[in-house]
Amino acid sequence: MNYLAHLYLAQPTADSHFGNLLGDFGGRRYSALLPDTVKNGLENHYLVDRFTDSHPLVKEAKQYFSPARKRFASVAIDVAFDHFLIQHWQRFNDQPLADFKQHSYGLLNARQAMMPSRMQQVVTSMTNNDWFKEYETLDGVGLALDNIAKRIRFANNFAGAADDIARHYQQLDAVFLAFFPELVEHVKQMGVEKLKL
């Protein structure tokens, strides 16, 4: 899952938000120095990733990407699922998305000093530029994915991945709506952070 989904599945605390994103920035390399509340968030991040990566519906979704882009299909699916979470936000959360984002950005900013430098840079850009606003539209998703393609350190055909998403939009939307409630329930059942979502 991508950043918005990880924050949605975190607890509404600064330590949890920090831990639930830290998995994308070196994670366990830093965990010895962190309080248990952050470590629990980090473990929740890994729980979410394991469940997502092994789920049959997510594996099925990879078929909707062209052979040239299939190697990076999981990255495209992560970003697309953030888009679908935004599209269906009211189905999953009573709090308005704008309020959720503002609160989450504030919680992340409260832990900036503890973050690895790369994470600090990303969180600063995310919160200052409201990345999740970009994910509201397919064009914004395409821009985000093309930016990821540029950061890959070797030649690739990942650019234009939004074309595959657009071509199979309804199918991917249906996969998300079937999968995401299962993920939410799994996180609740496992209770890694010992609090109810």
Side-chain angles (χ1 to χ4, degrees), residues 56-153:
L57 284 169
V58 177
K59 290 179 178 178
E60 173 194 319
K62 293 180 181 180
Q63 73 178 324
Y64 298 122
F65 291 85
S66 63
R69 298 190 186 103
K70 199 158 274 191
R71 178 176 183 178
F72 299 102
S74 59
V75 176
I77 290 166
D78 282 351
V79 176
F81 278 8
D82 267 7
H83 167 75
F84 292 125
L85 177 56
I86 290 168
Q87 297 306 304
H88 301 290
W89 184 260
Q90 295 305 319
R91 185 180 296 209
F92 297 107
N93 198 319
D94 293 333
Q95 182 183 29
L97 177 60
D99 294 350
F100 177 88
K101 288 191 299 183
Q102 183 178 1
H103 185 63
S104 289
Y105 291 162
L107 294 175
L108 287 170
N109 286 330
R111 291 293 177 269
Q112 279 245 12
M114 298 173 68
M115 294 176 183
S117 60
R118 174 71 186 136
M119 186 176 182
Q120 287 180 356
Q121 293 166 9
V122 168
V123 166
T124 297
S125 181
M126 179 194 303
T127 58
N128 287 350
N129 300 309
D130 189 9
W131 284 9
F132 302 141
K133 180 74 177 164
E134 189 171 275
Y135 293 175
E136 290 179 10
T137 67
L138 197 50
D139 284 345
V141 168
L143 184 60
L145 291 172
D146 287 351
N147 285 336
I148 291 169
K150 290 175 193 169
R151 292 197 300 271
I152 296 171
R153 294 190 178 115

Side-chain angles (χ1 to χ4, degrees), residues 9-11 44 47-48 51 182-193 195 197:
L9 294 163
Q11 298 301 318
N44 196 61
L47 172 80
V48 168
F51 185 82
E182 291 188 25
L183 173 61
V184 171
E185 186 58 31
H186 181 68
V187 169
K188 284 182 181 177
Q189 286 181 356
M190 297 306 289
V192 171
E193 296 195 76
L195 295 170
L197 286 172

